[in-house]
Amino acid sequence: RNLIYNPESMNGHVILASHYSTLAEKDPNDPVLVDKALLHAEKAVALDPSVYENKFNLAAIYLQREELDESTALFRAMLKENPRHPLTPRVVVDYAIGFHKMGEWDKAQRELEQAVKMREPRAKGALGTILKMRSKPDAEEKQKQWWKNKKEE
């Protein structure tokens, strides 16, 4: 409703981005939902680029859409901008997930080990997944090939 009265409401766009992102997670076969999430997340950042949380949401939506170059670039910029922000451990985990999906498992592992030291709850599980996958022959190379094919689409 907030956007009906004020289409320039940053908070309205934040709420809608979160809403559509959550719906997209529940129904990954509907690309319109994540597209709407992206639209509102980008608008929220455009309205106030200084809000770190909005940039985190945008980068997370890029990751959800498998726009990995965009997500890792934004996560990297966020870590450089404010390495002590309370969201930093979550940023590090999602940054690592981007590297993992790209087949850059050494980078992903290093970032996740850092996140474990920061006591980020999701870090141990994600690190365990990478270590388990690394034990499978050719798994890392297959992941790199998947990313290469995806970029060529």
Side-chain angles (χ1 to χ4, degrees), residues 39-135:
L39 172 83
H40 290 289
E42 287 176 332
K43 185 69 174 175
V45 170
L47 287 168
D48 190 348
S50 70
V51 179
Y52 194 88
E53 291 81 357
N54 293 350
K55 289 186 267 193
F56 176 76
N57 291 338
L58 177 58
I61 290 168
Y62 283 144
L63 184 62
Q64 187 178 14
R65 289 171 51 98
E66 294 182 337
E67 294 180 21
L68 304 178
D69 291 330
E70 292 84 352
S71 71
T72 55
L74 187 50
F75 285 134
R76 183 180 313 108
M78 292 171 66
L79 291 169
K80 187 175 181 180
E81 172 190 331
N82 190 346
R84 299 196 192 291
H85 192 279
L87 280 176
T88 294
R90 289 179 61 194
V91 171
V92 171
V93 169
D94 285 354
Y95 187 44
I97 290 169
F99 284 131
H100 177 251
K101 288 184 172 193
M102 295 165 114
E104 300 289 337
W105 290 5
D106 288 337
K107 289 179 184 177
Q109 184 173 339
R110 275 194 305 274
E111 295 299 328
L112 287 170
E113 287 168 350
Q114 181 183 7
V116 167
K117 291 177 187 172
M118 294 176 184
R119 302 184 196 278
E120 168 56 33
R122 298 179 308 143
K124 283 185 181 180
L127 181 59
T129 298
I130 286 178
L131 294 175
K132 184 177 179 180
M133 291 179 78
R134 286 192 108 155
S135 68

